[in-house]
Amino acid sequence: MSGVQMITVAAEDEGQRLDRWLRRLFPQVTQGRIEKMCRKGDLRVDKGRVKSAHRLAAGMVVRVPPIPDGEAKPPKPATEISEADRRMIQSCVLWKDDHIIALNKPPGLPTQGGSKQTRHVDGLSEALRFGSEQKPRLVHRLDKDTSGVLLLARTREAAQGLTAALRHRETRKIYWALVAGVPTPYLGEIRFGLVKAPGHGKSGEGEKMIAVHPREMDHTPGAKRAHTLYATLYRVASRAAWVAMEPLTGRTHQLRAHMAEIGHPIIGDGKYGGSGQENLGDGWGAQLGGVISKKLHLHARSMTFLHPVTKRPVTVTAPLPDHMADSWETLGWTEDLAADDPFEALR
């Protein structure tokens, strides 16, 4: 067993989560042990208590308590990826270079593992090495049923740069959705804060966010400010609309909760849309009926970022998934009808 250690965070570890950083240095330490050390205050950063997800900065000093040498069970071997899954995840690649891979994540595929989730992008990324010594790592996530642009870093330098850009809101993400009803004004913004509903599992099972009016933010414990731009691109009478959205903050379920709060839930969203009878807003509930798919109609259409290595701007665009493409065809829309930047008038 080691004694107490004081370890200074190196420059190349800038932006890493504390738990991932510690497990890289001490592979025998379990996640459960790390959480316990944080709760008890045994694991500290710059003498202060922190959570396991705390982001480290170069020069910080981490107090690591004594670590048993053989604490953990041997690591499980990597799950074998079937040939069908290998072909599937490789077919999702939209763009790649030596540092970054951009995927068009299919709907229904989780970004990471979790409760009862054994097949996910993080696990399948073993098939995305393309000759690299290490598998690419996630730098952000999309909800399981949301499709579209998802970035993975192929190097530590790229991971640090992309993580910092996302944290400091130096990237642009534009989403497309089919929503119930027609939002008015056609171009606007939503500033409702969000707070997590009580009573859900510790791992986020059934997690749901509640919208909070800006006037109530200071009086609502745990509420976080959230800001979304939206643009109504095309509509079908007063029944449904094609909406573009740009989240200026990155809260859990932000777009889904925001659209539902203004009375226009995203089609296929059972969590925030409810049924037509339950939805009391201006829309028609979470389903349109007929041949329109019941799957969630939310797609991360494009992402623009400054390449962390070449320093050149990069924009990656993802075509619609099959169920949304079918809905667009049914409603008489084509992807090329939308402007590249529907929010230009707001800038």
Side-chain angles (χ1 to χ4, degrees), residues 68-337:
D69 295 329
E71 172 183 291
K73 298 178 183 177
K76 294 181 180 178
T79 304
E80 180 129 1
I81 300 173
S82 70
E83 188 56 34
D85 275 346
R86 183 179 299 275
R87 288 196 302 269
M88 181 278 295
I89 199 66
Q90 290 181 353
S91 73
C92 294
V93 175
L94 294 167
W95 177 87
K96 69 180 175 70
D97 65 6
D98 292 339
H99 307 280
I100 299 169
I101 292 176
L103 298 181
N104 185 4
K105 188 190 83 67
L109 181 66
T111 303
Q112 292 176 291
S115 177
K116 301 180 181 178
Q117 301 292 347
T118 58
R119 181 175 177 269
H120 44 80
V121 173
D122 193 30
L124 296 177
S125 64
E126 281 286 349
L128 299 174
R129 288 176 181 261
F130 299 116
S132 176
E133 292 183 1
Q134 55 186 331
K135 75 172 188 176
R137 63 193 78 184
L138 295 165
V139 293
H140 66 119
R141 62 183 296 276
L142 292 174
D143 290 346
K144 175 184 174 183
D145 295 320
T146 302
S147 58
V149 179
L150 182 70
L151 299 184
L152 293 89
R154 303 186 72 187
T155 63
R156 184 180 299 278
E157 181 183 7
Q160 292 170 347
L162 290 173
T163 299
L166 289 160
R167 189 167 64 246
H168 298 303
R169 302 174 194 170
E170 294 169 351
T171 61
R172 283 197 70 197
K173 303 176 192 175
I174 294 179
Y175 289 73
W176 283 357
L178 179 63
V179 306
V182 180
T184 52
Y186 293 153
L187 183 66
E189 53 189 333
I190 307 168
R191 291 181 175 271
F192 282 93
L194 296 170
V195 65
K196 188 180 297 186
H200 296 294
K202 64 180 181 180
S203 298
E205 303 92 339
E207 185 175 49
K208 185 170 183 178
M209 308 304 288
I210 299 173
V212 179
H213 194 281
R215 287 195 300 266
E216 301 300 321
M217 286 294 297
D218 294 338
H219 312 295
T220 306
K224 295 182 178 180
R225 299 191 182 279
H227 189 185
T228 300
L229 304 181
Y230 75 86
T232 305
L233 303 182
Y234 291 90
R235 59 193 179 91
V236 181
S238 61
R239 191 176 185 199
W242 170 4
V243 170
M245 293 170 288
E246 181 177 352
L248 301 185
T249 51
R251 308 304 183 197
T252 300
H253 298 172
Q254 176 174 321
L255 302 180
R256 297 163 63 185
H258 269 178
M259 295 310 297
E261 182 63 22
I262 66 170
H264 301 286
I266 297 171
I267 299 303
D269 193 346
K271 184 184 290 285
Y272 293 94
S275 68
Q277 288 74 32
E278 293 169 341
N279 178 55
L280 302 179
D282 299 325
W284 288 58
Q287 304 296 341
L288 289 180
V291 298
I292 300 298
S293 172
K294 293 183 179 180
K295 294 181 180 179
L296 183 70
H297 285 63
L298 178 60
H299 178 67
R301 171 63 174 179
S302 68
M303 188 167 179
T304 300
F305 57 94
L306 193 67
H307 195 290
V309 178
T310 68
K311 305 305 179 184
R312 295 177 178 173
V314 177
T315 297
V316 181
T317 302
L320 291 171
D322 290 344
H323 74 282
M324 289 183 67
D326 289 344
S327 296
W328 259 234
E329 183 176 3
T330 298
L331 298 170
W333 301 329
T334 56
E335 296 184 34
D336 59 0
L337 290 175

